Amino acid sequence: RDRDVTGVQTCALPISYLSLVFTLPLACALLHEKCRLTPTLMAALIIAGAFVITRPPFLTGDTQLDSRLVIGMGLKLVDGLSTTLYTVLVRKCREYHFVAMFLVTSLTGLSLTVLATSALGLFAWPDGPADLALLILLGVLSTAAHNTLILGLKFESANTVALVRCSDVPFAFTWQVLIFQVVPDEWS
């Protein structure tokens, strides 16, 4: 039933997009942004999708929730909250110099990643040149994504940026099929 790809379940991706749901009220409260109709409708669709993706027993016919699924959903929920806080804080600090924001958020993210993977016993150095090349490529792509997100938040509202970030769901599912050969099930 589970479609694991090195421990990551295919249904975890939509849960992380709850960040849009969390960004709406936080951006309205802290940044005094308007609550518009389109992001609100998208938030309602994401909540409905997140509910379905957790595969509640009354929809699937099972007697109980899968504990691994619940743990994965909980971790992705924390990811969504972290993304929300990051988005709102970067938007709030948009007057600061771009490089300063980049360094602070990058070093914080790197430190937290090393700490978390070490605490979970998952930290490992690359095994060979191919892994090292992929790690460098990941770093370059992550840096580009990080830079564009910071620049986007300098010029656009947090709600709009959060909404646009949700547009990568179709791309993620496409890559999932093409690279990992994992076809999303009917719940995903």
Side-chain angles (χ1 to χ4, degrees):
R1 192 176 99 169
D2 288 328
R3 300 183 192 277
D4 291 337
V5 178
T6 61
V8 179
Q9 295 181 347
T10 60
C11 59
L13 178 70
I15 297 298
S16 65
Y17 290 98
L18 282 171
S19 62
L20 173 64
V21 176
F22 303 138
T23 301
L24 280 170
L26 202 58
C28 292
L30 295 179
L31 303 174
H32 308 293
E33 293 183 1
K34 294 179 182 177
C35 290
R36 297 192 173 112
L37 180 63
T38 303
T40 305
L41 291 175
M42 288 298 294
L45 284 173
I46 291 170
I47 290 171
F51 175 74
V52 169
I53 208 78
T54 59
R55 300 176 186 159
F58 69 87
L59 287 179
T60 62
D62 292 341
T63 56
Q64 61 184 2
L65 280 173
D66 181 3
S67 62
R68 291 181 344 142
L69 187 65
V70 172
I71 291 169
M73 295 301 152
L75 289 172
K76 288 310 288 181
L77 192 60
V78 170
D79 173 53
L81 287 169
S82 300
T83 301
T84 297
L85 290 174
Y86 171 78
T87 302
V88 171
L89 289 174
V90 168
R91 177 68 181 159
K92 184 81 170 166
C93 300
R94 68 183 175 272
E95 293 86 21
Y96 294 115
H97 194 274
F98 168 77
V99 175
M101 288 189 348
F102 175 75
L103 286 175
V104 168
T105 55
S106 296
L107 292 176
T108 301
L110 179 63
S111 302
L112 290 174
T113 300
V114 170
L115 285 172
T117 54
S118 297
L120 294 171
L122 299 173
F123 184 83
W125 294 102
D127 288 334
D131 285 347
L132 183 60
L134 287 173
L135 185 64
I136 291 169
L137 178 63
L138 177 65
V140 168
L141 293 174
S142 296
T143 300
H146 188 77
N147 285 336
T148 55
L149 183 61
I150 289 174
L151 287 173
L153 286 166
K154 278 183 139 335
F155 299 109
E156 192 54 67
S157 71
N159 284 333
T160 303
V161 171
L163 183 62
V164 170
R165 286 195 69 215
C166 291
S167 69
D168 66 352
V169 171
F171 297 110
F173 277 116
T174 303
W175 282 93
Q176 175 179 302
V177 171
L178 294 177
I179 293 176
F180 298 114
Q181 286 82 39
V182 176
V183 179
D185 61 9
E186 65 276 5
W187 296 103
S188 298

